[in-house]
Amino acid sequence: MIEMKIILKTLLSVLLILFASCKKLIEILPPANSITTEQTFADSSDASSAISGIYSSMLGSVSLNFLNGVLTIYCGESADELIPFYSGGDDLYANTLLADNAFMLNLWPPAYQYIYQANGVLEGVQASKGISENNKKLFLGEAKFLRSLNYFYLINLFGDVPFVNTTDYHVTSLSARTSKDQIYQQIISDLKGAQSDLPDNYELTANERTRANRWAATSLLARVYLYNHKWDSAELESSLVINATNLFNLNYDLNGVFLNNASLNNEAILQWQTNVRSGGFNATPEGFNFNPNLPPNNNPNYYLSNQLLNAFEPGDQRKVYWVDSTDYNSTIYYYPHKYKIGAAQADPTATPTEYVMVMRLAEQYLIRAEARARQSNLSGALEDLNAIRTRAGLPSFDNNLDQTQIIAAVMQERRIELFAEWGNRWLDLKRTGNVDSVMSVATPLKGQGTTWHSYQQLYPIPITEIHVDPNLTQNSGY
Amino acid sequence: MDLMVLRKAIPLRSFAIQTLRIMRIVAVLSFAFCMHAGATGYSQTVTLQLKNVPLTTVFAEIKNQTGYSFVYTQEDLQKTKNIDIDVTHVGIAEALHICFLNQPVTFTIVEKVVVIKQINNPSFTETGKGPPSHSVSGKITNSQGEALNGASVIIKRTKRGTQTNARGEFVLDNLYPDDVITISYTGYKAQSVKVGNNANLTLVMDIATDQLDKVVVRAYGTTTQRFNTGNIATVSAEEIEKQPVTNVLEALVGRVPGMVITQTNGYASAPINVEIRGRANIVGMSDPLFIVDGVPMFLNGTGNRTEGGLLQPQFGMTGPAHGQSPLFSINPSDIEAVTVLKDADATAIYGSRGANGVVIITTKKGKVGKTKWDVNVYQGYNKLTNRYDLMNMQQYLAMRREAFKNDGIQPDQGNAYDMLVWDTTKYFDLQKEFWGRLGKQTDIETGISGGDRLTNFRISGGYHRTENIFTYSGAEQRASVAFNLTHKSLNQRLMVSFSNEYSYAQSNLTTFNGSVTTAPNTPPVFDENHNLNYRGWEPVSYTFPYASLLWPYTAKTNFLNSGLNISFEILKGLSASVQFGYSTVHLKNELLQPISSFDPTTNPHGASEFGNTNQTTGIVEPQIKYSAVIAKGKLDVLVGGSYQYTTIDANDLSGGGYVNDNLLHSISNAAQVYGSDGFLQYKYGAGFGRLTYNWDDKYIINLSGRRDGSSRFGPGNQFGNFGSIGGAWIFSEEKFIKDHVSFLSFGKLRGSYGLTGSDAISDYLFLTQWSGSIVPPYRDAPAYVPTRHANPFLHWQTNHKSELAIELGFLQSRLNLQLAFYRNRCGDQLVGTPLASITGFTGVTQNFPATVQNDGVEGTFNAKIIDKKELTWNFSFSIGANHNILLAFPNIEKSVYFSTYEVGKPLNITKVLHFAGVDPMTGTYVMVDKNKDGQIDQYNDANSDLFLKDLSIKFDGGFGTDFQYKGFQVSLFFNFRKQELKSALFAGGIPGMVNVNQGVQVLDRWQKPGDHSKYARFTTNYGQSDLFFTNSDAMYSDGSYIRLRNLSVSYDFPSKWLTKAGFQKIRFYLRGENIFILTKYNGIDPDIPGDIGVIPPPKTLVLGLEFTL
């Protein structure tokens, strides 16, 4: 039985060794190409990269993205601005969106992805012990601004949407919709925070206007107040921007309004730095999509509607500089030409000269004009309105216009000045309540055999989202 | 018990006798060696049909057939009787036993010499029994002279015994000379011998030819079908060799009940989906664990697997075939057997990774005998199996005009470019253009193998080349070398075996982004200047789908899989071994997008992408095995450990902005470079044990347990415990069966229950991760992006498996039937769960509280209808029917799955509207208003009008027959499946839409009020009713099929001709795969449902020649 003892001892010792060393055996190194949340917010430079991550994500790697060109095109199609060259089956254009259309997947999921990133920064920075108080303010302010920008567009496209302010999916995965007003309150509070925490200059970006600062927050705040009919606050905030003349002036060279060089273009408040690694190289998404190719393939992808073209007053220099035309198969098509570099001009080796204009001074003039007119400050309103008209080479309005006329003039000016920019026309129609009257005429004119239904003013929430969140309801009509 | 201890007890006198005997054997041995040198070309089995003949006649015949010589004196045979014998293809030992039954002589076999001896002192047994005092020592070898280590030697009288040591030796004492001992050894025919007065016995065991007693690979060892307690199915090299397949998985289709194998597309290297016993997970595939010569094959994360299944670990591009099956790197002709382990008993010892079954692939080893040289060459062709019946030009144009008329829209260049801009007089057969090539298939295999008692080897090389039916693709090629070596030390206690497979695979493929259902006047791919025809596609040249035809994709895979096993017998019955395994895969792929492939008017630039993936797996598995004969049974104990690591490092470089196509291969010439990388590290450690006890070859119990640790889980959750219990009762060994049910030659009941687990998720999922490699820098500063929701709570998934089976053999096992009933429950599942994108990501991997149950029945039946020497006819049939349900799902209505699944229903359901027909007045589709609320609601809400549709595979299996007459051999194998599938209807869009052709069946459409038709009016755009239709049950069709999977016709030249020419074998053959399919399915192939961009699996026919020197 000596053997049996040896056998038993061997078996036991093998087992012991195995179990004792198990834990050590399965220790692994962290992945070499990523760091944990704690590491990301351990110091300012890494946390700053997390902010850069939001910008870079928003720019995307393809030529169109939620906050990088998509709104211009989608809202332009839905409204009476843009016509897709190939219109067959384009429900966005025909105002016949269905709940399972693919367009919405370019809006809703990316918006919430950027919001998640902003929430991640807010949580990480607040919990960090290695970031100085000054830098914390900076990061928190920027994250709040970016989150607000996303929510602003979400509620203007979809109405009430879930308000998500944490990265914890246990909390958020089954969210219901939050009212638009509540979200506006949060946006206002966030923007006020950003306004006080962010610097009032562009020194951090070497005078490029490519990251949000106090002025970006103030400009968005002015717009939010305007949308909420808080006319006095809107006037107050826009005045702050307009009065910062050391930084901002209207650019009288209309060809230069969308350039990136700050010394030549003081109109910019916030721009996205063009991502040369995208398929568009040095072209902006709008430039890439609107400017047609070289002949013979020079059909436009999108062209301007006759209603918009006819809305330009004679002599409007914006029609000269910001609209161009192409002759395709003996038909002349007019297309937006605010950005000059298109697919045909895109050059992988060139340094970008145009950046995506996120916010610019002209809008602030128009915000203040509208806010002043609403508060019956008619002369103040006309002053701002005429500043924009003068730049466009149009005659100034006289003081003999009444309030209604001035408000109508502001809306007309917004339509022309801000055409094919961030869906301003679509959002204006909806916030002013004119959408039904305008679209019930415009939709049948689109030649798609369709008519306007009021519910189409809110986009449908992607059906795939409804499928995975039992508490999320669809907009009515879909 | 030890040999040395017993030796002491042998008295001196018998020692002297023994010495003399040994001398005699030595003399015989020397003689035998001389004989052996000249003995070639003999069979190892004998066929004897003799009546009333003296033994000498039998000896002469055996010698004639096998080359064995007989040593005897006339005196030895004086008292022997004449015998009758009628045996076919039996081992020599078996034949001799029949000859010596009730004869006063016995025999021993030494090398190839049969020594005949008189049974001395027969009076002993007659003169009453004293205490048993006889001792015998013996040696057990196989017919090739290899010692059999661990053979059990049982005394029939006491049912007790011993087993052999590494040299095949045993000693038994306390015997009567008339005691009979039974020797058994896994994979050999058991034999019984009367001890007589011999002090020494040398016994030769014959390899089992009976299906029941052949060696079956199991986890960490071998067993036989007879004694196995778990569910193990084996597909042998013989079956694989008949099939001219590139990927061994294709050769398994329909042959293993319960294992459902589906090709994902027609590329030879494409991933193949494998599912054993149904879908266990809520999300994604349930891939089994693959083990090649002891080395686990690493499958990358779960993310990719939902797409193609069994993806080669690769980073970045997956290429036109949507990945590469890892098994594409393994040459099917190097495979000895594929063993599929299904139930808990068979898989639990793989613990963590056995949840979805285990597939063990063993490569061919050398065999003792003359060195052989095998060559096998074939050449064949691939062809499209089937065509869609699409509209011709006139029908298409008429459809479009009718659609515009119905819609009241004027066709213009924008919405009717196919009618107004494109040339309507040209017809372009897209199926012929893209899938019309006659593909080629070439295969060359050669191997040299041989060996002796101590060392054997096999070296083989192979080359395979497939050219697909896709006109624009290059070839998929594989060159492989395999090497196997086994060596035993002279005292046979140390054994080393080494196996090595190396292959290089190269795929040159092209992506097809187009569709064969674009308009029949789709402008040609190339213009008259042989440039891509962008101008022809005006005004929609931006939708030109053929740019990718000029994008060469190349994937080069180097694959090495090595296993080394060292085992040492410490004491008799106790051995230690270590298995080392190493595998490395290096995949290099590139995709080039030349400037010439893009529309020249868009100022295009070239682009390129280069991927590199290095994956290394190492495994060390120390084991201690102990076996002993205890009481009436045989005990086997296995204790072992397993340590595995896998690392993957990968990078992917994209270059953009090239201005010259000649520089596309160079990343440094790109204007923009975008790099990304991936790193994975996986470690896994486990301790395991198994105990098997076989009582009297009737009752067998098998227990196994395992504790596993995986690096895929965070601190505190890393370890899991698994185990199983299995048992078998061979009731045909019971006396009452033997006596009363004589037609039943074998009967076994077996059952098992156990826990298996899974850690089949990506690495690091428990860690929060921010990375700068997801998006480019912003303002030249690194941009960190969170990569996923981290989940620190991840832990092992546990599956409960139970099985009950009956195995029956009738008429000396000429008919065999096996039926297995199983039930698997998978809870706490590790799954990638979809989340609303409001959470920031669209999913998270988590342990999900849902329980999925798969239960089913599997059956196999095979019959040797005719079993003569020159004529055999076999039939086999197997079927697996699985029933899958979602057993429990707490709070499903508050989960992300509220609209996808229903408790009590299968996972593979879809919810669709119920199509009620076409409205004869409006010509639109009408759906059933389930809740009669006056409107159709296609969402899963309170007003829902959705119906459930079950898309589970109802049953799947195969049947085949082999027929052999002399050298002719014909075999056919069919596989079948019962299922419903998404149909190929409207794959490109609804009838009437621009640039979408349709199957001719849609001509049965509504044209005017009052029409009764199957399909609605033609229209240029989806209306609500068309959307309802595409979300209705009308979009599903019966996808059941019977496929002639394999056909093989061969002819072997008769051996008399061959011997003269110096060949051992010459065979000509004609073989085919996927010859035809019987199905009602309306697409090209039910394996690729509803998808018209995917290359369908082709049919293959090859001619080949095989010879052995």
Side-chain angles (χ1 to χ4, degrees), chain B residues 1024-1038:
Chain B
Q1024 190 70 62
S1025 77
D1026 304 296
L1027 278 173
F1028 286 157
F1029 184 78
T1030 53
N1031 187 28
S1032 80
D1033 50 7
M1035 292 297 284
Y1036 293 84
S1037 93
D1038 185 356

Side-chain angles (χ1 to χ4, degrees), chain B residues 776-950:
Chain B
Y778 185 67
R779 295 189 45 79
D780 298 327
Y784 295 170
V785 169
T787 58
R788 63 166 74 89
H789 286 305
N791 183 353
F793 309 111
L794 289 170
H795 56 264
W796 291 97
Q797 163 184 327
T798 308
N799 291 18
H800 297 249
K801 294 184 173 181
S802 46
E803 165 152 332
L804 196 64
I806 185 161
E807 298 176 7
L808 300 170
F810 302 96
L811 310 172
Q812 266 60 54
S813 292
R814 277 179 65 177
L815 299 178
N816 289 295
L817 177 70
Q818 294 175 36
L819 277 177
F821 304 86
Y822 62 89
R823 192 180 75 190
N824 297 343
R825 281 186 180 166
C826 174
D828 220 9
Q829 326 204 328
L830 273 178
V831 290
T833 315
L835 289 178
S837 53
I838 53 174
T839 63
F841 292 97
T842 51
V844 65
T845 301
Q846 57 184 350
N847 290 87
F848 216 77
T851 306
V852 176
Q853 173 177 300
N854 284 288
D855 59 339
V857 54
E858 290 165 3
T860 46
F861 171 75
N862 49 61
K864 290 177 191 163
I865 302 166
I866 301 175
D867 190 18
K868 293 271 161 59
K869 191 189 174 193
E870 294 201 319
L871 180 66
T872 59
W873 183 24
N874 298 333
F875 175 79
S876 68
F877 176 86
S878 76
I879 188 167
N882 183 66
H883 178 230
N884 168 283
I885 60 165
L886 178 60
L887 199 65
F889 196 138
N891 293 323
I892 187 169
E893 64 287 346
K894 286 268 174 278
S895 80
V896 297
Y897 293 110
F898 77 100
S899 63
T900 328
Y901 299 130
E902 268 187 36
V903 174
K905 297 281 188 279
L907 292 180
N908 289 328
I909 52 165
T910 185
K911 294 183 182 178
V912 287
L913 296 169
H914 183 39
F915 176 51
V918 174
D919 184 333
M921 292 320 294
T922 61
T924 54
Y925 296 111
V926 179
M927 301 296 139
V928 171
D929 184 7
K930 192 176 168 188
N931 56 5
K932 308 226 173 356
D933 64 351
Q935 55 189 11
I936 301 300
D937 184 341
Q938 59 170 338
Y939 305 127
N940 196 57
D941 51 27
N943 310 321
S944 172
D945 291 314
L946 296 175
F947 291 77
L948 283 187
K949 187 148 198 67
D950 182 5

Side-chain angles (χ1 to χ4, degrees), chain A residues 3-4 7 10-11 14-15 18-19 22-23 25-38 40-41 46 49-50 52-53 55-57 59 85-86 89 91 98-100 108-109 112-113 116-117 120 162 164 167 169-170 172-175 205 208 210-211 271-273 275-277 281 293-297 299 328-329 343-346 348-349 463 465-470, chain B residues 1 413-415 417 535 538-542 571 574 599 601-603 605 624 626 639-641 643 657 671-674 677-679 681-687 707 709-711 718-719 764 767-773 775-786 788-791 793 834-841 844 846 893-896 898-899 939 994 1021 1024 1027:
Chain A
E3 315 85 72
M4 277 309 270
I7 290 162
T10 323
L11 291 179
V14 168
L15 272 176
L18 283 172
F19 287 114
C22 242
K23 215 154 209 172
L25 281 176
I26 55 169
E27 274 171 13
I28 50 166
L29 297 168
N33 59 350
S34 71
I35 53 178
T36 63
T37 303
E38 291 71 36
T40 304
F41 297 98
D46 281 321
S49 298
S52 297
Y55 285 101
S56 186
S57 302
L59 259 64
F85 180 77
Y86 177 62
D91 293 328
L98 298 166
D100 55 355
W108 180 281
Y112 277 102
Q113 186 202 322
Y116 175 87
Q117 284 176 252
V164 172
T167 57
Y169 64 85
H170 294 106
T172 58
S173 63
L174 303 176
S175 299
T205 47
E208 286 206 313
T210 47
R211 278 179 73 160
Q271 295 179 309
W272 301 146
Q273 188 188 53
N275 173 17
V276 292
R277 296 183 181 201
F281 307 125
N293 290 323
L294 302 173
N297 187 29
N299 59 294
Y328 179 73
N329 277 357
Q345 295 79 27
T349 58
I463 189 67
E465 292 292 297
I466 305 263
H467 279 163
V468 291
D469 181 355
Chain B
M1 286 192 271
Q413 290 192 1
N415 60 24
Y417 54 84
R535 297 292 68 78
E538 296 294 359
V540 287
S541 57
Y542 60 94
L571 296 167
L574 180 71
D599 186 345
T601 65
T602 58
N603 185 25
H605 297 87
I624 305 273
Y626 176 68
V639 175
Y643 168 68
Q672 285 96 33
V673 178
Y674 184 50
D677 46 26
F679 299 89
Q681 198 177 15
Y682 171 54
K683 285 187 184 174
Y684 169 86
R707 181 167 170 81
S710 165
S711 64
Q718 289 168 320
F719 291 90
Y764 304 119
L767 268 185
T768 55
Q769 281 180 272
W770 292 66
S771 174
S773 62
V775 294
Y778 185 67
R779 295 189 45 79
D780 298 327
Y784 295 170
V785 169
R788 63 166 74 89
H789 286 305
N791 183 353
F793 309 111
L835 289 178
S837 53
I838 53 174
T839 63
F841 292 97
V844 65
Q846 57 184 350
E893 64 287 346
K894 286 268 174 278
S895 80
V896 297
F898 77 100
S899 63
Y939 305 127
V994 64
N1021 198 6
Q1024 190 70 62
L1027 278 173

